[in-house]
């Protein structure tokens, strides 16, 4: 029966380096496999559902056809064609396939389907596969084995993108257990600035099962700034595994914010290397869940050089029998003096059966650094609930207000007001 | 005279401890009653029992509000029916702007009264009008509920809530605690503005001072879980002179 590794016809089978890269990914995945309970990195989040033997590759949707499979509204206003309610450049993927969109991009901004970029773009060829790790990342290896679909984004030296660029990934799985990979390469040259929003959603059968396996390779040049926002709102039986591997050069800034609220198994993993002096990152996340889901936020911040800075705030709300996982590692290399790394995780447990697993790790090999981590979990404050109810506010409404209030400070880390209010509306 | 609140032989406990023991009180429409008692008499417990705070359990007796069984209602239902508790220690709610909180409260009560919900514009106008006399401006309601508020600001916000929710029965639990004389006057002014011959108040306090500003129709002395003596406003003055010891001993 077909598991995650299947024979498949690829684009670019005549490009030797590409074939070699895919083969390397396939080899590593064959060796590592779907991680079991003994793999430290996955000990809280057990990806058992990825051992399924009924994975099916999605078919590329025919042109001009509505691909979401909703027969009731086949047209431009269909759920799968909807753009974000944001003033933004928008790119759409349907079951992992690029959908053509007209965007009048400013000069100095390149946005291409990954296969086209592999064929034509020198910068893409230079970086693709060079940033993402595979040895200790089985699903990134798997993603590389199937490297084909995704987007290549390049912001040229000194160019500031005037509005956010949204990458919308919509899935409609129907009856079958779809499996697709997306590979995005994002390069900000020196002094460039951009805001990128990733949005994962679905429509169709409520209990759709599918596996979206995402890898982002990100390069932030000297003095460049990337704000990378993400909303994971997949189907509640779906699996979503994402790894963003980021390198930040001198005085560059990378900000990641991810809100996870969908999927049965959701993992947003971010690995940031602060390569040179003055490089800075914020990696923030929020999660809100119920049912039986497991949502995982895993981060690795590597301070390679002196005077690099990182800060993290992760907050989650867990209800039902769901499980929230936070694993955050800060690594400070031997010569990386005068660095600062801070990390804080806070969770709100709304039921007796909700669970939080938290694993902060500091690996400090340099003296004269400032580093801290903290973790706390608690319940809703009874006094606050009573106060609101004593003013006539319904108990459920009061709980909702308090949950939103709990997540408020982490959402405030999203600089863009329009993105922030869109995310708030999705809570 | 139409009775608004009727409490008969009320017994209530917190955990295993009985605190309210045979409490009787009837408040008619338009009346202001003061309940005075020493520390530990059960004054705050009384206010929480009447508003249905979890953990405060009625073991026997009855409480009727507008003829309905109050004990069968949830905290929010009591509030929507017109009971308001002005708290001794208003609760801080970080992350929730005061305006958001107030708007939810106003619309919850309006919905119950079959009135259309207020939009932001109408709501802000209401707050501006009612807030003016209390010295509450737009700046204050943008801040999270009670977070970083001074004692006076907290009590003014309680009074503002009372002014815009217009409850039929206001329960004021130690409304003067933590207030200087100027703040006390402002709060009392807000409370007195609600006295229209229809609305009623239950003023719980252990000092007579507050009653100089909110003048009660009746004064009750509350000790050991029940009322030991009732009278008019002069009883409060007598109490101020003699202290509680005499009255508590009388029983």
């Amino acid at each position: 029966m077909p598991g995650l590794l299947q024979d498949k016809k690829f684009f670019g089978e005549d490009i030797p380096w590409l074939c070699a890269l895919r083969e390397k990914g396939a080899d590593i995945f064959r060796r590592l496999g779907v991680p079991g309970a003994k793999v430290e990195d996955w000990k809280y989040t057990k990806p058992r559902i990825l051992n399924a033997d009924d994975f099916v590759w999605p078919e590329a949707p025919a042109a001009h056809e509505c691909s979401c499979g909703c027969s009731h509204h086949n047209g431009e206003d269909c759920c799968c064609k909807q753009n974000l309610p944001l003033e933004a450049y928008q790119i759409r993927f349907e079951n992992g396939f690029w959908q053509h969109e007209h965007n009048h991009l400013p000069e100095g901004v390149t946005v291409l389907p990954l296969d086209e970029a592999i064929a034509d773009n020198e910068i893409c060829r230079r970086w693709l596969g060079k940033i993402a790790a595979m040895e200790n990342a089985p699903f990134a290896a798997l993603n590389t084995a199937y490297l084909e679909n995704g987007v290549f984004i390049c912001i040229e030296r000194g160019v500031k993108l005037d509005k956010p660029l949204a990458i919308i990934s919509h899935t409609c799985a129907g009856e079958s257990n779809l499996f697709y990979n997306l590979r995005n390469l994002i390069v900000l040259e020196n002094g460039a600035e951009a805001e990128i929003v990733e949005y994962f959603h679905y429509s169709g059968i409520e209990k759709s099962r599918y596996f979206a396996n995402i890898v982002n390779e990100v390069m932030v040049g000297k003095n460049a700034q990337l704000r990378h926002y993400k909303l994971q709102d997949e189907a509640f039986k779906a699996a979503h595994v994402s790894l963003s591997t980021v390198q930040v050069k001198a005085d560059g800034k990378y900000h990641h914010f991810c809100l996870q609220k969908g999927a049965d198994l959701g993992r947003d993993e971010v690995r940031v290397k602060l390569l040179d002096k003055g490089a800075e990152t914020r990696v923030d996340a929020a999660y809100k869940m119920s049912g039986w889901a497991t949502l995982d936020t895993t981060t690795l911040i590597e301070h390679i050089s002196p005077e690099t800075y990182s800060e993290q705030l992760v907050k989650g709300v867990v209800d039902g029998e769901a499980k929230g996982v936070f694993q955050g590692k800060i690594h400070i290399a031997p010569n990386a003096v005068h660095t600062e790394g801070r990390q804080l995780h806070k969770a709100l447990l709304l039921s007796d059966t909700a669970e939080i697993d938290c694993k902060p790790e500091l690996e400090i090999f340099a003296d004269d650094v400032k580093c801290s981590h903290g973790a706390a979990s608690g319940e809703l404050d009874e006094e606050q609930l009573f106060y609101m109810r004593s003013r006539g506010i319904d108990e459920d409404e009061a709980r909702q207000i308090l949950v939103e209030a709990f997540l408020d400070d982490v959402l405030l880390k999203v600089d863009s007001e329009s993105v922030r209010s869109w995310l708030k509306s999705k809570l | 005279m139409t009775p608004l609140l009727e409490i008969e032989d009320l017994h209530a406990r917190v955990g295993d401890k009985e605190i309210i023991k045979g409490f009787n009180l009837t408040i008619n429409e338009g009346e202001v009653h003061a309940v005075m008692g020493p520390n530990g008499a059960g004054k705050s417990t009384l206010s929480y029992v009447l508003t249905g705070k979890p953990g405060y359990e009625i073991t026997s007796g009855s409480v009727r509000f507008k003829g309905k069984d109050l004990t069968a209602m949830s905290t929010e239902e009591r509030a929507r029916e017109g009971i308001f508790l002005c708290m001794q220690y208003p609760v801080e709610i970080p992350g929730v702007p005061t305006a958001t909180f107030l708007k939810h409260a106003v619309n919850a009560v309006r919905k119950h009264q079959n009135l259309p919900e207020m939009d932001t514009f109408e709501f802000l106008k209401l707050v501006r009008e009612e807030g003016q006399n209390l010295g509450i401006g737009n700046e204050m309601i943008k801040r999270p509920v009670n977070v970083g508020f001074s004692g006076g600001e907290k009590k003014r916000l309680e009074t503002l809530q009372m002014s815009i929710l217009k409850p039929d029965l206001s329960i004021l639990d130690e409304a003067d605690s933590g207030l200087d004389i100027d703040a006390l006057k402002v709060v009392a002014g807000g409370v007195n503005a609600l006295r229209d011959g229809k609305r009623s108040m239950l003023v719980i306090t252990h000092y007579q001072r507050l009653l100089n500003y909110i003048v009660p129709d009746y004064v009750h002395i509350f000790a050991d879980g029940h009322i030991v003596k009732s009278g008019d406003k002069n009883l409060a003055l007598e109490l101020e002179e003699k202290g509680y010891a005499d009255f508590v001993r009388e029983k």
Side-chain angles (χ1 to χ4, degrees), chain B residues 71-86:
Chain B
T71 60
M73 296 182 209
S74 68
T75 297
E76 51 268 43
E77 282 166 341
R78 298 178 199 203
R80 292 174 201 156
E81 280 289 334
I83 291 184
F84 181 91
L85 172 60
C86 180

Side-chain angles (χ1 to χ4, degrees), chain A residues 117-291:
Chain A
I118 289 171
D120 289 342
N121 190 290
E122 199 47 52
I123 296 168
C124 175
R125 283 200 289 262
R126 191 191 315 152
W127 289 112
L128 189 67
K130 306 278 175 29
I131 304 171
M134 290 199 278
E135 268 309 331
N136 49 4
F139 296 110
L142 180 69
N143 180 288
T144 307
Y146 290 123
L147 202 150
E148 183 169 54
N149 290 319
V151 61
F152 166 67
I153 298 166
C154 178
I155 317 289
E156 284 174 25
R157 182 182 288 262
V159 172
K160 292 176 172 51
L161 200 59
D162 57 335
K163 49 187 178 180
L165 176 68
I167 306 170
I168 303 164
S169 177
H170 176 265
T171 305
C172 185
E175 301 282 355
S176 47
N177 192 2
L178 290 189
F179 164 44
Y180 66 83
N181 297 276
L182 273 183
R183 178 66 160 251
N184 304 320
L185 172 62
I186 300 164
V187 178
L188 267 71
E189 295 188 344
N190 297 347
E193 261 183 51
E195 229 166 49
I196 289 178
V197 182
E198 281 185 280
Y199 176 35
F200 296 89
H201 68 142
Y202 78 103
S203 62
I205 300 170
E206 195 192 10
K207 290 186 177 174
S208 295
R209 294 185 301 149
Y210 57 87
F211 172 30
N213 185 23
I214 319 298
V215 172
N216 293 315
E217 293 186 90
V218 181
M219 174 55 79
V220 179
K222 274 186 203 164
N223 214 15
Q225 286 189 32
L226 177 62
R227 289 180 289 278
H228 181 187
Y229 306 131
K230 169 176 172 178
L231 170 60
Q232 186 271 92
D233 192 11
E234 305 274 22
F236 86 105
K237 289 271 191 188
H240 174 103
V241 176
S242 164
L243 173 65
S244 297
T245 306
V246 186
Q247 299 193 356
V248 188
K249 293 188 175 169
D251 298 313
K253 288 190 174 78
Y254 173 73
H255 181 204
H256 183 88
F257 175 90
C258 175
L259 169 61
Q260 292 202 77
K261 59 176 289 231
D264 178 40
L265 167 74
R267 169 142 155 155
D268 187 63
E269 183 170 355
V270 184
R271 299 180 183 180
V272 185
K273 267 196 171 82
L274 300 169
L275 294 175
D276 315 297
K277 194 175 153 185
E280 200 180 312
T281 188
R282 278 205 70 97
V283 180
D284 300 314
Y287 54 91
K288 183 173 177 251
M289 58 208 281
S290 56

Side-chain angles (χ1 to χ4, degrees), chain A residues 5-47:
Chain A
L5 273 180
Q6 298 174 26
D7 277 337
K8 186 178 171 292
K9 266 294 198 203
F10 285 113
F11 143 84
E13 288 187 337
D14 53 343
I15 304 173
W17 67 266
L18 183 59
C19 293
L21 185 60
R22 283 177 181 145
E23 201 41 54
K24 188 180 169 197
D27 281 345
I28 294 173
F29 185 75
R30 253 179 236 120
R31 181 156 43 81
L32 298 176
V34 172
K38 285 184 181 159
V39 177
E40 176 66 24
D41 228 16
W42 290 84
K43 70 175 182 182
Y44 299 122
T45 303
K46 300 177 180 72

